[in-house]
Amino acid sequence: MDDSRRRLLWHGMFLFFLGLVTGFVETKFSNPRMGLAAHLEGVMNGTFLVALGAIWADVKLSPKWKTAAFWCALYGTYVNWATTCLAAILGTAALSPITGAGHSGQPWEEKLVTLGFTSVGLVIVAASLSVLRGLRRVAA
């Protein structure tokens, strides 16, 4: 089994596990609704990584692009979960009008969470586009 494929599967299961554990403590966060979102982010992003690992052999990219897609996927999934946890802990509402309703953090906390969510959005879109391109290509 390709090492990067196996690593995606491992990280997927680990992130899934982190999402499950987050579910046990979601009511302890400053914003329990955001805690629930963090639980779901861990579970869903873990599942995404497992699915990506399952198709990884079919992603036909140059080694450089495949490495970039791998690390972008890991960054996007872990930082998405971590930023959502941070938002739940701090009680921020940055970029989360529904789960953050009625909550507000310090300006620096809001900026930190905004930076996290913005970076995740950009990186996970880049990873997705790379994988989509790699699934369209035929092996040389």
Side-chain angles (χ1 to χ4, degrees), residues 5-17:
R5 178 179 181 268
R6 185 172 187 78
R7 287 173 31 204
L8 283 170
L9 294 171
W10 186 90
H11 283 286
M13 286 308 304
F14 182 67
L15 190 52
F16 187 89
F17 170 75

Side-chain angles (χ1 to χ4, degrees), residues 16-75:
F16 187 89
F17 170 75
L18 289 176
L20 293 176
V21 172
T22 305
F24 289 127
V25 297
E26 66 191 30
T27 59
K28 306 293 185 208
F29 291 120
S30 296
N31 180 351
R33 186 180 288 183
M34 189 67 81
L36 172 62
H39 157 67
L40 294 173
E41 289 298 347
V43 170
M44 290 187 308
N45 281 293
T47 302
F48 168 73
L49 288 177
V50 169
L52 184 58
I55 64 165
W56 194 245
D58 295 318
V59 178
K60 308 298 181 199
L61 294 169
S62 70
K64 178 180 169 182
W65 277 101
K66 200 162 186 181
T67 298
F70 174 88
W71 287 109
C72 284
L74 287 184
Y75 175 89

Side-chain angles (χ1 to χ4, degrees), residues 104-124:
S104 177
Q106 297 294 318
W108 71 268
E109 294 171 334
E110 295 288 346
K111 287 179 184 174
L112 179 63
V113 170
T114 297
L115 177 66
F117 283 138
T118 301
S119 72
V120 163
L122 295 171
V123 170
I124 205 68

